Amino acid sequence: MSNLSSLQFNPHVATSPIYVGGASIESIKKEYNLDDVIKLASNESPLAPSPLAIKAIQEAAANLNRYPPMGDESLREVLAETIGRGTTPDHFVTGNGGCDVLSMMAASFLKQGDEGIICRPTFPVYEITAQRVGARMVYADLNPDHFTYDVKAILGAVTERTRLIYICNPNNPTGTTMTATQMEMLVNNAPTHVLIVADEAYHDFVTAGDYPDTLAHVLQGKNVAILHSFSKAYSLAGLRLGYAIAPPEIARYLSRARESFHLSQLVFAAGIASLRDRAHLEKMVALTLSGRAWLSQQLTNLRLPVWPSQSNFILFKPPFPAALVSERLLQRGVIVRPMSQFYLPAYLRVTVGLPEENERFIAALQESLAAMEAEGVAKEVATEESRGEFKF
Ligand SMILES: Cc1ncc(COP(=O)(O)O)c(C=O)c1O
């Protein structure tokens, strides 16, 4: 007999939502009985990791009988060398992916009853990690037409209980950015009991001239922590490595929330090798920028509402219910991401892939929409109700 009923579950853990990732290629092959499936659903890189990283992993594998180093200085030294600008290893905190660093931030700055501010629609992990420690989310949503930030609304939402303001920049899932002027206004006017988390996981793909130099605020010792990930431009989503850059006092405090032996030998080896392979990073960024321009144009040609993206994905709104369009794409072996968990139930997000993958997605989308039109499937009508739970 189980003693489960006597256990005291932490209600915050028991009720916090669970993040749902994009479907895997293997699961869709099996479910739809297909041989050839492409995944454009999780903002991953379509390229294999740097060959230097793969070689470093192979070499490090022989020593896996040993624990990894307790400290992460070797990696933080190479991060400081790579980022430069006067950063030192003391500015960095590493984690098992950016999501782990977000958990560390929530655990370090939020207690029961505290508040975090998010600007929906945005990356759901902010809300999940904050709820898990009993904090409450306060919303200062993006402008619903252009998905731009409203700094006055963010500052207006701050209370004495606010501890963290999450700025996703570029924002997932809209691909839009906060400008340098807006960031400056936020940093200069946020009260000193608040830490601004600038999640710049996709910063490598930004071409906009008015993108903030958030590092300058960190180097001035402002209450700002930047988040970076190796899962995007470094092609290492499966490895799990991310880091924060913050003023040393904040970084030192945040790293107290790390697990013991939080990174494996393989992560140290691959992370350091990847940072040294600038050519691989540049290849991935160039591929993304050309694919992004091509995909945006194609979606526009299909007369679909598309938002200008500064990232490696594009948000669009199909004319039919998004879940039905996603299903039709799956039948054609193309996985994209329905946005219901991202506060946008009527939208889809497609990740920029290889040129042939982008072409296959557009062809599958065209076919799906034509078939739905021919079958007389009911259109998604832009009423207040159908725009989704959060008015978008
Ligand atoms: C905005 C944003 N931040 C952080 C992450 C975390 O990435 P990871 O945990 O893979 O480093 C993601 C992943 O999709 C993201 O979209």
Side-chain angles (χ1 to χ4, degrees):
M1 208 174 75
S2 158
N3 289 329
L4 201 66
S5 56
S6 320
L7 293 176
Q8 298 290 306
F9 289 161
N10 177 333
H12 305 307
V13 174
T15 60
S16 77
I18 291 170
Y19 185 69
V20 183
S24 74
I25 291 180
E26 285 316 310
S27 69
I28 298 302
K29 277 186 179 172
K30 209 166 152 197
E31 191 177 338
Y32 291 83
N33 199 18
L34 294 167
D35 291 331
D36 185 17
V37 171
I38 59 167
K39 183 179 178 200
L40 302 173
S42 298
N43 303 341
E44 297 150 332
S45 164
L47 298 179
S50 151
L52 301 186
I54 294 173
K55 184 159 174 276
I57 288 173
Q58 283 163 345
E59 285 169 6
N63 294 319
L64 286 177
N65 55 314
R66 302 289 174 198
Y67 277 101
M70 274 298 281
D72 56 356
E73 288 82 0
S74 56
L75 177 56
R76 287 189 287 117
E77 273 165 23
V78 184
L79 282 168
E81 266 168 42
T82 310
I83 301 280
R85 304 267 313 269
T87 55
T88 67
D90 293 343
H91 285 95
F92 294 87
V93 185
T94 61
N96 189 22
C99 290
D100 185 38
V101 180
L102 289 170
S103 275
M104 285 158 61
M105 287 174 173
S108 308
F109 285 100
L110 298 172
K111 299 184 302 302
Q112 176 159 9
D114 285 344
E115 292 169 3
I117 297 178
I118 59 168
C119 308
R120 299 174 302 177
T122 195
F123 188 45
V125 171
Y126 311 138
E127 187 151 16
I128 293 171
T129 49
Q131 282 187 9
R132 213 188 287 149
V133 295
R136 203 170 73 78
M137 277 292 121
V138 174
Y139 306 119
D141 293 336
L142 301 182
N143 169 316
D145 296 320
H146 306 292
F147 294 130
T148 46
Y149 279 94
D150 181 345
V151 177
K152 274 195 191 144
I154 297 170
L155 290 169
V158 173
T159 70
E160 293 208 331
R161 299 307 306 258
T162 309
R163 298 288 173 265
L164 297 176
I165 298 178
Y166 294 94
I167 302 298
C168 191
N169 201 23
N171 185 44
N172 179 6
T174 59
T176 47
T177 50
M178 171 174 274
T179 66
T181 314
Q182 287 181 310
M183 181 61 86
E184 203 155 310
M185 181 174 159
L186 182 63
V187 171
N188 291 338
N189 292 289
T192 50
H193 64 275
V194 174
L195 176 70
I196 296 167
V197 178
D199 181 348
E200 300 186 352
Y202 300 97
H203 74 103
D204 294 287
F205 307 115
V206 173
T207 51
D210 60 359
Y211 188 65
D213 177 9
T214 317
L215 186 57
H217 298 299
V218 170
L219 294 171
Q220 284 162 17
K222 298 280 172 58
N223 285 351
V224 177
I226 300 171
L227 183 72
H228 282 179
S229 167
F230 277 67
S231 301
K232 312 299 173 185
Y234 281 100
S235 307
L236 285 170
L239 185 76
R240 312 309 298 134
L241 179 59
Y243 61 95
I245 319 173
E249 205 183 340
I250 297 174
R252 239 188 332 271
Y253 170 65
L254 262 177
S255 60
R256 297 182 71 88
R258 262 184 0 209
E259 298 300 331
S260 315
F261 303 113
H262 71 306
L263 301 181
S264 81
Q265 303 259 30
L266 307 185
V267 173
F268 281 108
I272 290 171
S274 288
L275 286 168
R276 295 198 163 128
D277 192 350
R278 189 87 209 152
H280 188 273
L281 175 73
E282 284 168 6
K283 182 175 160 191
M284 166 53 190
V285 172
L287 180 82
T288 304
L289 298 191
S290 62
R292 180 171 87 192
W294 186 84
L295 271 176
S296 302
Q297 188 56 55
Q298 296 297 313
L299 290 167
T300 307
N301 292 350
L302 292 175
R303 298 179 186 284
L304 301 178
V306 179
W307 282 264
S309 173
Q310 288 289 304
S311 200
N312 68 339
F313 53 81
I314 297 173
L315 182 75
F316 67 99
K317 191 170 187 189
F320 299 100
L324 297 184
V325 177
S326 167
E327 171 66 25
R328 299 285 176 130
L329 290 171
L330 290 176
Q331 290 163 1
R332 291 167 172 81
V334 177
I335 315 174
V336 298
R337 191 72 163 271
M339 291 282 93
S340 40
Q341 204 191 17
F342 283 69
Y343 317 92
L344 291 174
Y347 293 66
L348 294 172
R349 190 193 66 197
V350 61
T351 303
V352 178
L354 298 171
E356 56 273 27
E357 292 175 325
N358 301 335
E359 283 165 25
R360 183 164 160 196
F361 157 70
I362 289 292
L365 181 64
Q366 257 174 318
E367 272 176 37
S368 301
L369 296 181
M372 292 170 90
E373 189 81 53
E375 291 164 28
V377 174
K379 294 233 159 136
E380 178 83 6
V381 187
T383 60
E384 277 311 304
E385 298 76 61
S386 72
R387 289 177 94 185
E389 197 182 342
F390 300 109
K391 83 176 180 283
F392 296 107

